[in-house]
């Protein structure tokens, strides 16, 4: 068996790793507000963990800008990412660490992996999510962040 077959044959939760970044179409079901009448919006989704059954992934999304209408309880938990450090980005952007988003395994299977987050930035992202007042201890535990 070659390496490609091995990766394809593995269950999704073994192929997906914490820190991977996927370009994924997200909807209001995943906590994203699509714009201009669209039903979904493409987002970069950073995998932070998965549930004990490997069916749902918890992570955060990348935004190109910070919405000035959001309260500080959200914007204080945005972490900058530089385009020079992450070539998949079109702009210097921000990781929204205020609250975990969830993506089901079939959603990630249809997504495109575009890169990964450095160990240092991943540690900062995880720590910021854990400190956010908008996230619950139950969900943090569900995805292995506590």
């Amino acid at each position: 068996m070659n390496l490609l077959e091995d990766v394809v044959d593995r269950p999704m939760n073994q192929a997906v790793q914490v820190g991977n970044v996927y370009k994924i179409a997200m909807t209001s079901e995943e906590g994203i507000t699509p714009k201009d009448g669209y039903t979904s919006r493409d987002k970069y989704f950073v995998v932070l963990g998965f549930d004990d059954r490997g069916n749902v992934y918890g992570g955060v999304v990348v935004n190109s800008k910070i919405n000035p209408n959001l309260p500080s309880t959200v914007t204080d938990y945005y972490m900058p990412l530089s385009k020079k450090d992450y070539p998949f980005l079109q702009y210097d952007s921000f990781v929204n660490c205020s609250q975990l988003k969830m993506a089901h395994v079939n959603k990630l299977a249809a997504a495109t992996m575009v890169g990964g987050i450095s160990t240092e930035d991943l540690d900062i992202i995880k720590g910021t999510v854990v400190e956010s007042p908008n996230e619950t201890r139950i969900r943090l535990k569900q995805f292995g962040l506590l």
Side-chain angles (χ1 to χ4, degrees):
M1 183 181 308
N2 69 35
L3 182 60
L4 179 59
E5 288 172 331
D6 185 41
V7 170
V8 170
D9 288 344
R10 278 191 247 158
M12 188 67 181
N13 67 342
Q14 291 179 357
V16 175
Q17 300 209 2
V18 171
N20 286 0
V21 180
Y22 291 84
K23 185 174 184 180
I24 183 172
M26 299 186 83
T27 66
S28 56
E29 188 176 294
E30 289 103 17
I32 298 299
T33 305
K35 290 185 175 182
D36 302 324
Y38 289 97
T39 57
S40 68
R41 189 168 181 190
D42 285 346
K43 290 296 214 177
Y44 291 123
F45 180 82
V46 180
V47 176
L48 297 182
F50 48 90
D51 70 357
D52 59 356
R53 292 175 293 178
N55 294 325
V56 180
Y57 292 87
V60 290
V61 294
V62 177
N63 294 318
S64 56
K65 297 182 232 176
I66 297 177
N67 180 339
N69 298 319
L70 293 173
S72 63
T73 56
V74 174
T75 60
D76 287 352
Y77 296 89
Y78 272 53
M79 187 196 118
L81 287 184
S82 171
K83 180 182 176 357
K84 75 175 178 60
D85 294 334
Y86 297 101
F88 58 86
L89 294 174
Q90 293 178 6
Y91 319 96
D92 287 342
S93 299
F94 301 89
V95 179
N96 179 350
C97 301
S98 69
Q99 192 170 34
L100 289 170
K101 304 293 184 198
M102 294 189 296
H104 289 274
V105 67
N106 59 344
K107 197 71 120 148
L108 276 190
T112 303
M113 190 174 99
V114 295
I117 299 295
S118 73
T119 303
E120 291 116 13
D121 285 345
L122 190 59
D123 288 343
I124 293 168
I125 290 168
K126 287 179 176 180
T128 305
V129 170
V130 168
E131 294 298 319
S132 174
N134 303 309
E135 196 48 73
T136 67
R137 293 185 62 76
I138 291 170
R139 283 182 17 126
L140 292 169
K141 284 181 183 178
Q142 176 185 9
F143 295 110
L145 296 170
L146 285 181

